[in-house]
Structures are given as C-alpha cells and as structure tokens.
Amino acid sequence: MYVTIIGLFAVCVFTLTRWGSMLHTYLFFYCVANLVYNIAYVVLQHTTNLETYVAVLKVGYFGRLWVGLSMTLFIAELCGKTYPTLVKSIAGIFNMFVYFFILNLENNRLYYKHMEFKMVGDFPTLPHSGGPIYYIYTFMNLLYAILCVYLIVKAYIKEKNEIAKKRDLFLMISVIVLVATYVIYFFKLMEIARVFDIMIIGYALCTAFMLIAIVKYKMLDTTVAAKNYVVDELAESIIVVDNDNKVSYYNKPAQILFPELKDSKKNEDAIQKLLLDFNSSIDSGDPVRMEGKIYTPRANPLTEGDVRIGTLYSLSDDSEHYRYMDELREQKQIADSANEAKSQFLANMSHEIRTPINAVLGFNEMITRECEKVRDTKEEKSPSVSEAFENIGMYSGNIEGAGNNLLSIINDILDLSKIEAGKMELVYGKYSLGSLLRDISGMISFRASEKGLEFIPDVDENLPGELYGDMVRVRQVITNILTNAVKYTDSGNVRLIVRAEDDRPVKAGEMMNLIITVKDTGIGIRPEDMKKLFGSFERLELKRNSSIEGTGLGLSISRQLISMMGGDIKVNSEYGSGSTFVITIPQKVSSTTPVGNFSARTDKPDTAKKPYKASFTATDALILVVDDSTVNLRVAKALLRDTGLVIDTADSGNKALELTKQKKYDLILMDQRMPNMDGTEALSNIRAQQDGANLATPVICMTADAIIGSREKYLEAGFDDYLSKPVKSAELEKTLIKFLPPEKISKGESNDR
Ligand code: ADP
C-alpha cells in the first residue's frame, strides 16, 4: 500500500512536471483519486470503532469513486478516442449521486443494506451486504473496466509501432489486473477477499504496470504531445490510413473538414469515396472543390523500414492561390482584349489615314507632273508664271516629303502593334545583298549630301552576293540605323561597314553572321540615356532634338526585328563625338558569288529628280478600277492618264460585277474594304460567273489595309498581286506591265521616281 502511495505520488509529480495534454490531465485525475483512496485505506487500519471507520471510509470513497471514470478517460484518450462532454458530465453526475448515498451510509440502506464493524486480529474490517445503489455503482465500474480492456486490445491490434505496442501491452496488463482483482473482490472468490479490500492490491499492481508503461516506453513523452499539438495546429488536414484504407489517424483540421472521420466505422463508404476522390485528384492534377473552397491533396507513403504500413494524405487549402490565379487569368483576358482592341484600332486608323494620304500624294504627283510639263514646255512664259510654277513644284515636293514621312510613322506604329501582338512574321526569300546595300546607300547618300555630310560605304567585296532571309526587314533595320546616323549628325560623316563575322569561307546553304556597323560623328548618346535607347516611344534629349522628326519607335522596332531574326544590336557612343551601332544578323548564304566592288557604283548619287514619263502606253487595253471612294478612283485614273489605258470605274463590288458581265477587261484593280461586298467577295463572284468574260482576268488588290501578312492574305484569297495604298505611280505601272497582255503594251523610257 505504501509502495502504491509512493508510486502514485511519483506519477502525480511526473505528470505535473510534463503537463501538456488531456492525457496528462486524466492521468493526474486518476492518480489523485487513487491516492486519496489509498491514504484513506492506510488510516482505516488505525480505526477502532464503526463511527471512525465509516468517517474515514467516506473520505476514501471521495477518491475511489472517481478511479474508474478517470482511468477510462485516460485510456480512451491514449487510444485516440474522445467522448462527448455530455457523456463525461453524465458519468460525473452519476458519481456524485452515488457519493450522496455514501455520505449518508448510516442513514440509508440503499448503498450498504447491512454493515458491522469487526476486528479480525489487529485489522479493523467492515463486513457488509450491498444495496441497489451499491450494485449499480459496481456494475458501472465493471463497464468501465470492460471498456478499458476493449479500447486497449483494439489499439494494440491496430498499432504498428513496436514501442507503442509494448506500451499498450503493459497498460492492458495493468487494466486486466485491476479487473481481475475487482471480480475477485466483488464475488469474494478468495477467502482473503471476505476480510480485506483486495482492490488495494489490484490498484497497487495496476499502478506498477502503468508506471512501467510511463517510464520505460515514454508514454507521456512531451515530444509526442508536442507532435500531436503541432499536427493539430497545422493549416493542412492530415488523414492517415493503413494498407486496408482504414483511417488510423487524423488531425483537428481534418476532423472539422470531414466530420464523418469521427465515426470512421459508420461512415466507411463516405470515407472510401473521399479517399478515391483524393487519389483521382492527385492523378489528374485537378484540385478538390468543397464548400466553396479549393484543396490540393497529396499522398505520402508511410513505411517502417522497407515495409509499407499505410498512406498519409495531406490536404492544403489552396483557395487563395486559385482565386489569385483566376484573377490573373481574368486580368490577362482583359489585357489581351484591350491589346486586341488596340491592334484593331491601329489597323483601322492606318487604313483610314492611308486613304486620304493616297489622295494627297496621288494628286500631289499630278501637280508635280503638271508643273514639270509647264516648266519643260517650249512655249513662251512670263517670268512671273515661270516663278509661280517653280514655286508650285517646290511646294509639291514638300507635300510629297511630308506625306511620305506621315506614311513611315504609320508604318512604324503598325509594325510595333504587330510585334506587340505577336503577329509579326518574317517572310523569307532569296535576295541580292549587293542590290539591297546599293539601294540603301543610294537613299542614305542622298539624305547625307542634303545635310552636307559625307556617306562612306565600306562593304567587304568578298561577301556572298545572294542571301536567304527577310530582305524587307533587313532593309528596314539597316535603313533605320543609317537614317538615325544622318538625322543625329550635324557635321562629319556617316560610315556603313558591312563584313562577315569571320573570314571562314562559307558554302551555299550555310549560315553566316552578317555584321553591319554604322558609325557617325554626330551628337552621341549620354551614358545615362543608353538604357532608354531601345524603349518604345523613347526619344532622348527632347529639347535638343526637338527639330528632328521622329517618333522614338525606330530603334525599338529594329531591335525586336533583329532579335526575331536571331541577331543582336550593340551601341557604343561618346557623347558629343559620335555613335557606333553594330548589328549582327544571321543569314543563310544562297550564292557565294561575291558582291564585288561596291563603293565605286554609289560614289555619286543621282539626286536630280527627272520629270515624269510613263513607263508604257497601252491605248488598246481596257482596265477596271473598283473603289468605294470616288477620290481614289480619280487618283488612279489621273496617275494612269499618260499610259493611255482605257479605264472604267466602279464604286462598289456590285457595280464591278455588272460591268464584268458586260465587258472583258485586261486587268482589274480592286479595293478591299468596301461596304456591302468587299474586294475578296467581289473577286470570288467574278471568278464564279458562269462563262464569264473575266474568269482569267488578272485582279490586283489595291488596298490601304497594310497590316502584317496582308500581301500573303490577299494572294491566298485569289488575287494575282497586291499593291498597298498610297500607291506609287512607278509601282503601279510596274505591276500593270507585269499583268497586261504584252501585245497591247508599248514600252516607253520610264523615269523611276
Ligand atoms: P526616332 O524616331 O526618335 O529617331 P529611334 O527609336 O530611332 O527614334 O531613336 C530613339 C532615340 O535615340 C532618338 O530619339 C535619339 O534621341 C537617339 N538616337 C538614335 N540614334 C542615334 C544616333 N545615331 N546618335 C544619337 N542619338 C541617337
């Protein structure tokens, strides 16, 4: 008994020092109840009469009454079973109810029907016979004992961890000993049980086995409590199942999310479905959606050594993450449609601006031609008339310059929108490097000489003469850098150096890096402005450069085009002394025939503008021009006047259809954007005319629709060629010569302008 008291006391102290969970609370509760009972029993041994015996017994029962309940709660907690507070409260109230009868032991016969005080040797005893409350209380204790054994045996079978298994074994022994002594005590199976309260021995043994479980197998190890605490505090729901998919553990968040886990036996089907959902979500990568939230399940195998013992499912609440992703997607959609709207706007704007520019430049061309005619006529003119025509010629030259400038700005804006929309595509083909560089050099040397600058082209004559790439874009990039060099240089020179990256001889079909260096002696770029140089709409030193025309788009477009071609661009500049732009463009070699001596042929640019002369006449040829804008129809007619062509006009697709039914044309120039029936539709209707006279008539698309891929788009739609507005008379004539019946053409000497 003394050993029991010391043992119980030790457990109390042990529990107090490590308090951390309900497990400790219940154990402490059990030990204190047991301690009170044992101490009272010691005192009982010193009583000499019924009154004192009964008084001490009442104190003892104050502890003993709670032993069964506290032990059951402790074991249930240890086995992971929690009972509702209501059940615990009812059990507590029942104990108090029983204690009420014990406190009045002498005055009622419901607990002890009969009792008497008797000394057996030196030991005071209280032989008694039980009343109904006594039996109910005894039955309750038996129930507690059976429940404890059931819980421990179940936990022992389920437990996979060897140490925990041993711990459960000792607990099981301790409870079984207690139950056995209880049975002996109750049924007085042994002689000694008639005299002594052998429960005292039962409790001593029970406490001893419990102590072993506690000390040897670390039953109350705080780390276990700590781990449980941490796992319960996790934001993630954790569910552990064994190899048979039976739930063996779950944490608090899991219990809140899936209340059916509490009674996993009863809800087996629901839990199996849940696990199935988890697994299919893991396989498909789609999250699980529940009660307006989105969860991502994960499954981790649980092993002991090499043996798989189950699976740990963790479920994280990723609703925020998904909400954020949805928001991003939504924002992207808004941005995409805004971008789309912008591109559409730019395309429309370009179309709308090109149409009036077509008229301005077209009629301006006519003014120039008229002026030239008057200027070159042999007829006598008064000096004031000559001067007036001289001036008109100069003004129309200015209109042409400004119109072309406006056009290049529109082209730049269109290019940028195409690049930004990811719609810019490179169009590959063979081209002559020599012609390309000569064209560019001709134009630049003209501009340079206008500013009094020297243009020095330096092209390695061994460079392959024919390359394969997007000539239009290569030309655009080089022209842009050279134009800038001229624009931002007031005196000195602009150099164009073209080399191969290395001297290694290349064969046709191989790739080579073309290095284009543009050096100027201009204003230079401040080091702090270098970062802004390639930004869209970025212009440096606005004040200083205010008189220089520009949009700040050229370099941005150039860099993006170069990078689309797989090359790069570098800048070196000394503020006040000049800049050097080095472009590297990989191109495929098409023919290794060298470009040859280059500079000799571009020495003296022919800057004098020659008077217009039609490149051909075709007075027998009949063509049809279709455009909804009457101004454009007039422009086309005027531009082609000197060719002598017979021109019909139609201001709608329907009108064109009517005319094509009546006459056979040698060629049709067709606008695209027209109300009711657009150019493509009109074309297919012409082609569909049964026995139509114009089934084979070449139809050329002449449109202000200049967005990327327009040419390809219209050729694909069945047009024979494509001309963009504003149309240049030289280009127009070239295209017509290509498609008009040769027998109807008599060639003149054209002055390309
Ligand atoms: P812009 O149409 O203004 O010329 P760019 O994109 O071609 O647009 O050039 C951006 C800016 O970079 C120019 O406004 C100019 O300030 C500067 N820049 C470009 N080339 C040169 C150069 N060769 N020398 C000095 N500054 C230059």
Side-chain angles (χ1 to χ4, degrees), residues 484 487-488 520 525 533 538-540 545 550-552 554-555 579:
N484 276 351
K487 265 185 357 189
Y488 300 103
D520 65 53
I525 300 155
L533 197 60
E538 285 283 8
R539 302 203 69 211
L540 315 176
N545 296 335
T551 51
L555 281 182
S579 315

Side-chain angles (χ1 to χ4, degrees), residues 513-573:
N513 274 342
L514 202 60
I515 311 283
I516 301 135
T517 308
V518 175
K519 253 185 189 173
D520 65 53
T521 54
I523 58 171
I525 300 155
R526 288 184 298 204
E528 64 268 30
D529 285 338
M530 282 292 193
K531 283 197 292 286
K532 296 193 256 170
L533 197 60
F534 292 101
S536 300
F537 298 104
E538 285 283 8
R539 302 203 69 211
L540 315 176
E541 295 190 81
L542 273 178
K543 251 193 195 154
R544 182 177 174 178
N545 296 335
S546 60
S547 61
I548 304 173
E549 281 171 356
T551 51
L553 287 175
L555 281 182
S556 162
I557 294 170
S558 296
R559 187 172 67 169
Q560 299 188 65
L561 287 175
I562 292 168
S563 104
M564 279 177 75
M565 290 190 267
D568 80 307
I569 177 166
K570 291 197 174 79
V571 194
N572 234 318
S573 185

Side-chain angles (χ1 to χ4, degrees), residues 640-654:
L640 294 172
R641 196 180 60 191
D642 288 5
T643 61
L645 281 163
V646 186
I647 303 173
D648 277 356
T649 56
D651 59 5
S652 69
N654 279 322

Side-chain angles (χ1 to χ4, degrees), residues 616-618 620-623 640 643 645 665-668 698 700 732-745:
F616 72 94
T617 49
D620 290 341
L622 175 64
I623 71 162
L640 294 172
T643 61
L645 281 163
Y665 289 100
D666 293 308
L667 187 139
I668 299 168
I700 307 218
L732 179 59
E733 287 178 18
K734 241 191 223 169
T735 313
L736 292 179
I737 291 178
K738 211 161 97 186
F739 290 98
L740 283 173
E743 66 279 7
K744 292 190 178 174
I745 293 176

